[in-house]
Amino acid sequence: NQKILDLLYLYQNELLLIELKAVPFYKDIIFQINDYYNELLKLQIKSKIIKTKINKIILTTQASEEQIDLCKKEDIRLIKYDLENILTDYYESFKELSAFLKIQPAARGVTRLYLIKSTLSLLSHGKTFCEICRIENLSPNTIRNRLAVADLIGLIDRKSENNGNYFLTNLGKRLLKLNDNISQETFNEKQFDCISNFVQENPFFSQITFSIMSVVDVIFILSKAEYPVKYKEFQDFFVRSLGKDKTWKKPQARLTGTYHFVNYADELGFIQRIHNKVFLTPKGIRALLTFQLNRTIRLINARH
């Protein structure tokens, strides 16, 4: 029968034969590790592995002093470890590799995506930040928020070599070309589709694209218990799922932060909010499948 040992490491000039158990110590582990040890000795005789000292180590979640002494008699080092700490450390390490797990949105922004249209139009005509503020008769903070949102959905960029000025990206230029001049106040259907396609294809581009898709994801998760999903239940779960329950402590912050992203997802056709309930649209379900696939791929890649 083929035998598969848990871990075998070469450390300096010695081999470490490690039997890792996520359970308390039991006596049969001694027979198991000794069996592996004897197999390794045979391989050493056949020159199939390095000929050096083999240290036998057992890791378990619980072990008494008597069990530790019993292992010593078998020339085995028995080590007790804290499973909770191991799993926590593993997750923190994994989290560092998975950038999207650390994405957290800000409560500031615009209430509706269409509000950035007039600002983008002025920007396309070469207007500066100060000129845009004056023409739109809005405060610098309001215009700054609009440009920040446009930046986070890939419509504009700002680079130092351009004297710090904002400029339209290729996506932003394509978006404005889709304008039909019917309304200067809001985006038309093709323009919303242009943005929604970008969000769907690039869910980890920024905190906004990720949060928009998280709206869809959270509704789907909660729908398993009840559908349509009550907005209050969605809001509470959404805030926690994005790790904002500690920073969005005040009800107004939770209300504002959730409201923005729900509006964005609604405008882009992923969801529908009707009264105090939220629904997934067919477009939202298709986007959700793409989001879940991309997330799975990122999680797998983070392990390598």
Side-chain angles (χ1 to χ4, degrees), residues 13-239:
N13 61 341
E14 296 182 346
L15 285 171
L16 304 180
L17 170 60
I18 303 173
E19 190 64 22
L20 176 61
K21 300 293 183 183
V23 294
F25 176 84
Y26 56 92
K27 197 170 182 180
D28 283 349
I29 306 177
I30 293 178
F31 302 116
Q32 190 175 4
I33 196 169
N34 280 337
D35 198 19
Y36 293 147
Y37 176 78
N38 292 329
E39 289 296 322
L40 292 175
L41 290 178
K42 292 177 183 178
L43 291 174
Q44 285 183 330
I45 293 172
K46 295 177 182 179
S47 299
K48 291 189 175 182
I49 63 171
I50 185 172
K51 292 182 179 179
T52 187
K53 181 183 178 182
I54 302 174
N55 298 283
K56 294 181 289 183
I57 302 171
I58 295 175
L59 300 175
T60 62
T61 58
Q62 293 181 30
S64 66
E65 290 299 324
E66 292 79 8
Q67 291 167 335
I68 292 174
D69 290 338
L70 177 62
C71 287
K72 281 182 180 178
K73 294 176 182 178
E74 295 286 334
D75 196 25
I76 299 169
R77 185 179 178 189
L78 175 57
I79 301 173
K80 181 174 65 173
Y81 70 93
D82 190 319
L83 183 58
E84 183 177 338
N85 288 340
I86 294 294
L87 293 176
T88 300
D89 289 345
Y90 178 83
Y91 174 77
E92 290 301 326
S93 176
F94 173 69
K95 185 178 178 180
E96 288 300 311
L97 296 173
S98 306
F100 77 87
L101 289 175
K102 297 182 288 183
I103 298 176
Q104 290 196 353
R108 61 184 298 177
V110 296
T111 55
R112 298 280 182 176
L113 288 176
Y114 74 78
L115 293 173
I116 68 177
K117 180 178 180 179
S118 59
T119 303
L120 291 177
S121 179
L122 290 171
L123 194 63
S124 71
H125 289 91
K127 302 301 181 182
T128 65
F129 178 83
C130 292
E131 288 173 331
I132 293 174
C133 293
R134 179 173 51 80
I135 295 171
E136 301 223 59
N137 194 28
L138 294 170
S139 70
N141 190 53
T142 298
I143 297 301
R144 195 172 291 110
N145 282 344
R146 289 186 178 186
L147 293 172
V149 170
D151 181 22
L152 292 171
I153 55 176
L155 300 176
I156 65 171
D157 202 351
R158 185 180 187 181
K159 294 185 178 178
S160 57
E161 57 264 29
N162 198 37
N163 297 322
N165 292 327
Y166 298 93
F167 62 94
L168 292 172
T169 61
N170 290 334
L171 177 66
K173 294 175 183 176
R174 188 161 72 249
L175 178 78
L176 292 183
K177 284 183 179 179
L178 292 171
N179 191 37
D180 52 19
N181 295 318
I182 294 177
S183 172
Q184 295 302 318
E185 299 297 323
T186 185
F187 292 124
N188 59 36
E189 184 177 353
K190 289 182 179 179
Q191 289 177 312
F192 276 127
D193 282 342
C194 179
I195 299 173
S196 67
N197 288 338
F198 177 81
V199 172
Q200 180 176 329
E201 294 166 6
N202 303 275
F204 308 110
F205 178 80
S206 71
Q207 54 168 297
I208 286 184
T209 57
F210 179 74
S211 298
I212 291 172
M213 292 312 306
S214 293
V215 169
V216 183
D217 194 36
V218 166
I219 294 174
F220 175 71
I221 292 171
L222 293 177
S223 70
K224 298 174 184 178
E226 183 181 12
Y227 192 82
V229 177
K230 294 176 182 176
Y231 186 78
K232 181 62 172 64
E233 293 179 3
F234 161 80
Q235 177 182 289
D236 294 342
F237 193 85
F238 179 74
V239 171

